[in-house]
Amino acid sequence: ADAAGSALRAGELALVELSRRQRDALKLLCRLAAGATLAVPGGLLPHDDIVGRPPGQLVRTAGGLKLLVRRPSLEEYALLMTRGATIAYPKDVGAMLTMMDLHPGDTVLESGSGSGALSLFLSRAVGSKGRVLSYEIREDHHNLAKKNYRQWRSSWEIGHIEEWPDNVDFIHKDITTAAEDMKSVTFDAVVLDMLNPQAALPVIRPSLKHGGVCAVYLANITQVIALLDRIRICKLPFLCEKIIDVTHRKWLIIPA
C-alpha cells in the first residue's frame, strides 16, 4: 500500500508525462529533490510543484503545458532507468516469469545482470522469503544493475509502507567459472540472458532442481539453434518445452 496520505515526497522517483489527451508521447523519470527543477518542453517544472501532491494529478508549467505526475510502475522504471546493456523488455519478462512459474520463497539464478531490469522483476516474484543470485561478467554492467536496483528500493521505501525485499545478490563473476559456488544451493528456476548461454548449462545443471525450468532469453533464431545443438551434442539433460516470440502492439483509439 502507498504510505499514509499517498503524497509524493522528496527522495522518491516520479514519472512526468504529457496529459493522456495529447498525442505526443513524453515520459520523464526524475528523483524528487527540494529546489530542483525538471526541464520539459516549453520550460522548467520545479520539483517543489510536485512534492506534496497525491500521484495522478495534473501540474501546469509556467508555459501552460499540462503534465501528469505519478509514481512509475516497475515496467516504466525498467524502460526509463539508466542502461548499460539492452534490457530484457517487460513484455518478454512477463512471459518468462509465467514459464518459470515462480512462487514467493523460490531461489532463482540469473545470468547476466545487465542493467538490472529482470533482476527487479525476479525480486518481486520471489518476495522477501526468496532469493535471487545474479551473475554478471562485466564490471560496468554489474555496478549499474546494483545501482538501478538500489535506486528503485530506496524510492519504494519512501513512498510505501512495506519495504521492497532486499533479496538479490549481485555477483561480479563469469557464470561458467562458478561451479564451486553452485554446490551449496538448489535453484527452483534459472534464467539466462547472455551471449553464450549454452556454456552455462553444464555449470547450472547440477543445481537446478528436478523438473525446474531454465528460461533462456535470445535475440535471434541462430542463437536458438546453437543452444539446441549444444544440448543435443553434449547430451545434456534438458528438454526443450517451447520456443516463443512475444509480440506487443500498441493501439491508438480515436473516437469518431
Side-chain angles (χ1 to χ4, degrees):
D2 286 348
S6 192
L8 291 161
R9 296 193 281 176
E12 68 174 313
L13 295 163
L15 184 73
V16 178
E17 59 183 321
L18 283 174
S19 170
R20 296 184 186 280
R21 288 174 294 179
Q22 296 174 260
R23 272 195 181 189
D24 296 330
L26 170 71
K27 288 190 178 185
L28 299 173
L29 187 69
C30 66
R31 186 154 201 152
L32 297 175
T37 57
L38 176 68
V40 296
L44 299 173
L45 176 64
H47 287 198
D48 292 338
D49 289 354
I50 302 173
V51 173
R53 290 176 177 264
Q57 287 197 347
L58 288 174
V59 178
R60 189 186 295 272
T61 66
L65 184 68
K66 289 182 179 179
L67 297 166
L68 179 67
V69 180
R70 57 186 175 85
R71 291 185 175 96
S73 67
L74 182 55
E75 176 187 14
E76 288 163 331
Y77 177 69
L79 292 172
L80 295 171
M81 68 187 188
T82 304
R83 296 184 194 179
T86 302
I87 64 167
Y89 281 85
K91 70 179 182 68
D92 301 321
V93 171
M96 287 190 286
L97 292 177
T98 301
M99 292 167 69
M100 288 187 285
D101 196 29
L102 295 179
H103 299 82
D106 281 351
T107 299
V108 184
L109 171 68
E110 174 192 22
S111 183
S113 309
S115 299
L118 180 54
S119 311
L120 277 161
F121 284 99
L122 293 172
S123 172
R124 181 166 66 180
V126 304
S128 58
K129 295 182 179 179
R131 185 184 178 199
V132 179
L133 271 66
S134 182
Y135 281 77
E136 174 57 55
I137 190 172
R138 285 184 51 164
E139 185 176 11
D140 55 342
H141 292 174
H142 165 76
N143 290 333
L144 181 57
K146 286 197 298 183
K147 180 181 178 181
N148 284 334
Y149 178 72
R150 290 169 180 167
Q151 178 176 248
W152 174 261
R153 284 193 71 241
S154 63
S155 174
W156 180 274
E157 289 171 8
I158 295 171
H160 296 78
I161 296 171
E162 295 182 2
E163 71 173 20
W164 189 277
D166 186 9
N167 58 2
V168 181
D169 296 322
F170 290 98
I171 303 165
H172 176 217
K173 193 172 187 177
D174 183 348
I175 188 69
T176 63
T177 66
E180 286 296 318
D181 301 2
M182 305 294 165
K183 288 184 177 179
S184 60
V185 61
T186 299
F187 297 109
D188 296 289
V190 172
V191 57
L192 304 176
D193 180 8
M194 49 190 291
L195 290 175
N196 189 26
Q198 49 269 33
L201 294 181
V203 176
I204 61 101
R205 181 198 61 78
S207 297
L208 179 60
K209 73 176 184 181
H210 291 291
V213 175
C214 176
V216 186
Y217 190 45
L218 297 170
N220 56 64
I221 194 62
T222 304
Q223 291 174 293
V224 174
I225 293 170
L227 175 67
L228 296 179
D229 281 347
R230 176 67 69 90
I231 293 172
R232 177 178 55 84
I233 294 170
C234 297
K235 299 181 179 178
L236 296 173
F238 289 94
L239 172 67
C240 181
E241 287 192 79
K242 65 179 74 171
I243 300 169
I244 64 171
D245 179 22
V246 182
T247 58
H248 181 94
R249 293 186 300 171
K250 290 184 178 180
W251 284 27
L252 176 64
I253 306 297
I254 303 177

